């Protein structure tokens, strides 16, 4: 079962020919609720089954203006703000590990992002255009995660799905009955952190014929850091993972040929990641702990090409074809296994 309710609204307003150019404002709001049961093993038993609920909302506001600085130079500049919040719980039955074993995880996270950007286009000649842009971003996150273990919880469909009973096995095991949704929790972790970044893009476009051009560009991007929410042990979520940075170089061709009966799009690219964010899911059979962690792989790269061809040889007949190639690998990644406590060198391995 998976039920999702989503509500959203977007308001776009344009103000042309103002004293600061053509101004556009975009205001957006979205709210959603997701409730689902999942049966990971496909059997009638709850060997590996989950109940989860997520509720979240997002508000965003962008204001930008398009300005003609000269006859050959125009620019778009503006700012962007976004705030998000979500609450999540997950009840996980792990009967495959130990009969009656359950794991209850909650996540509560707020994020804010504020950025300012400028993009310019300069016609160096009638055929050659230079584009250059820069963006400053400030992101911050406030995250909290909890985790509780228990034995003997009722069925996932029960209203008391998170209530575990008193269990006493003298000299072997004792469990105090409680509702896992209540505090205090077995593990309660998280924190606050913020990051700043400056990214950019620079490129050249050259038109060598009507609807025919070649281009080259270099872009530097940024993906904010955060805290792991779906934890297994305290160490999964007590420290943030870092931001991910990437440089992408691309050259390509876009052309309509033979009186627009043949269209070709070709691109070659090389992407260089630093501190790439990699999600890890693990299960420790010695402790029956299932957890997750987001790691920063030191360096990795992706390179390849894409080709798309569309042809219209005769009326009412369209032929389409595409070809792509990817080569991915870690350039530098010393991976720490939290179960075996060993370090593995993944240099040269595929992503």
């Amino acid at each position: 079962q998976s039920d999702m309710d989503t509500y959203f609204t977007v308001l776009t307003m344009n103000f042309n020919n103002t004293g600061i150019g053509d101004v556009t404002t975009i205001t957006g709001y979205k709210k959603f609720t997701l409730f689902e049961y999942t049966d990971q093993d496909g059997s009638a038993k709850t060997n590996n089954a989950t109940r989860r609920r997520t509720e979240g909302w997002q508000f965003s506001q962008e204001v930008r203006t398009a300005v003609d600085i000269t006859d050959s130079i125009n620019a778009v500049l503006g700012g962007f703000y976004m705030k998000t919040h979500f609450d999540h719980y997950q009840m996980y039955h792990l009967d495959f590990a130990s009969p009656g074993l359950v794991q209850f995880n909650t996540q509560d996270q707020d994020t804010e992002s504020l950025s300012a950007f400028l993009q310019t286009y300069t016609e160096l000649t009638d055929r050659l255009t230079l584009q250059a842009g820069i963006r400053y971003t400030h992101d911050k996150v406030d995250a909290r995660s909890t985790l509780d273990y228990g034995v003997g919880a009722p069925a996932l469909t029960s209203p008391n799905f998170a209530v575990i009973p008193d269990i006493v096995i003298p000299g072997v095991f004792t469990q105090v009955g409680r509702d896992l949704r209540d505090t205090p929790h077995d593990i309660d972790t998280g924190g606050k952190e913020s990051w700043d970044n400056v990214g950019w893009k620079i490129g050249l476009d050259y038109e060598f014929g009507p609807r025919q051009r070649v281009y080259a560009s270099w872009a530097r991007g940024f993906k904010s850091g955060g805290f792991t929410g779906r934890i297994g042990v305290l160490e999964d979520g007590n420290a943030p993972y870092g931001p991910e940075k990437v440089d992408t170089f691309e050259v390509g061709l876009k052309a309509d040929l033979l009186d627009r009966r043949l269209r070709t799009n070709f691109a070659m690219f090389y992407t260089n990641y630093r501190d790439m964010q990699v999600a890890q899911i693990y299960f420790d059979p010695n402790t029956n702990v299932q957890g997750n962690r987001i790691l920063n792989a030191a360096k990795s790269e992706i390179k390849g090409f894409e080709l798309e061809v569309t042809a219209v040889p005769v009326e009412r007949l369209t032929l389409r074809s595409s070809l792509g190639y990817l080569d991915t690998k870690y350039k530098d990644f010393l991976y720490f296994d939290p179960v075996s406590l060993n370090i593995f060198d993944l240099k040269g391995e595929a992503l």
Side-chain angles (χ1 to χ4, degrees), residues 36-246:
E36 58 185 351
Y37 297 105
T38 57
D39 181 8
Q40 285 85 251
D41 70 340
S43 71
K45 298 181 179 180
T46 57
N47 287 326
N48 189 3
T50 306
R51 168 179 173 152
R52 62 174 65 89
R53 185 180 188 276
T54 307
E55 183 175 356
W57 57 263
Q58 172 184 298
F59 170 79
S60 64
Q61 177 65 61
E62 179 175 329
V63 179
R64 66 174 185 260
T65 182
V67 182
D68 293 328
I69 300 175
T70 68
D71 290 341
S72 60
I73 303 176
N74 57 71
V76 177
L77 68 155
F80 177 80
Y81 172 78
M82 181 175 68
K83 182 175 177 63
T84 67
H85 171 80
F86 80 86
D87 293 299
H88 170 84
Y89 78 71
Q90 172 175 290
M91 172 60 98
Y92 183 26
H93 281 224
L94 298 91
D95 289 357
F96 71 91
S98 179
L101 179 64
V102 296
Q103 183 187 69
F104 185 70
N105 168 232
T106 69
Q107 301 171 39
D108 185 341
Q109 179 170 299
D110 290 281
T111 60
E112 282 188 279
S113 181
L114 181 65
S115 61
F117 56 87
L118 170 66
Q119 180 75 31
T120 63
Y121 301 89
T122 303
E123 294 182 359
L124 302 178
T125 69
D126 291 342
R127 294 175 178 261
L128 184 63
T129 300
L130 168 69
Q131 58 170 298
I134 190 169
R135 186 183 190 100
Y136 165 77
T137 302
H138 173 78
D139 287 344
K140 65 179 181 180
V141 60
D142 182 356
R144 204 84 219 153
S145 297
T146 68
L147 186 71
D148 294 272
Y149 283 93
V151 175
L156 291 173
T157 54
S158 169
N160 298 317
F161 69 93
V163 178
I164 57 176
D166 289 315
I167 298 177
V168 177
I169 304 176
V172 178
F173 176 74
T174 299
Q175 173 176 279
V176 178
R178 62 190 178 99
D179 191 328
L180 299 181
R181 292 167 288 191
D182 298 335
T183 57
H185 298 282
D186 296 340
I187 299 176
D188 191 337
T189 187
K192 299 179 181 180
E193 190 57 87
S194 63
W195 297 270
D196 297 279
N197 182 73
V198 176
W200 64 76
K201 181 177 181 180
I202 187 168
L204 287 171
D205 291 10
Y206 180 74
E207 293 189 13
F208 60 91
R211 303 177 67 87
Q212 301 167 5
R213 69 183 181 96
V214 292
Y215 65 90
S217 67
W218 170 29
R220 172 163 291 182
F222 162 83
K223 182 179 179 181
S224 181
F227 291 85
T228 302
R230 190 179 171 188
I231 58 175
V233 294
L234 179 67
E235 291 74 16
D236 287 343
N238 64 353
Y241 54 88
E244 174 182 286
K245 295 186 178 181
V246 59

Side-chain angles (χ1 to χ4, degrees), residues 252-288:
L253 163 73
K254 296 181 182 292
D256 287 348
L257 307 168
L258 303 178
D259 196 24
R260 299 180 63 182
R261 288 185 175 273
L262 178 66
R263 170 170 292 178
T264 58
N265 294 321
F266 176 74
M268 293 179 58
F269 54 87
Y270 173 79
T271 301
N272 180 40
Y273 284 92
R274 296 174 304 285
D275 295 323
M276 184 179 187
Q277 295 170 5
V278 179
Q280 174 199 21
I281 300 176
Y282 64 87
F283 178 75
D284 187 345
N286 295 320
T287 61
N288 290 328

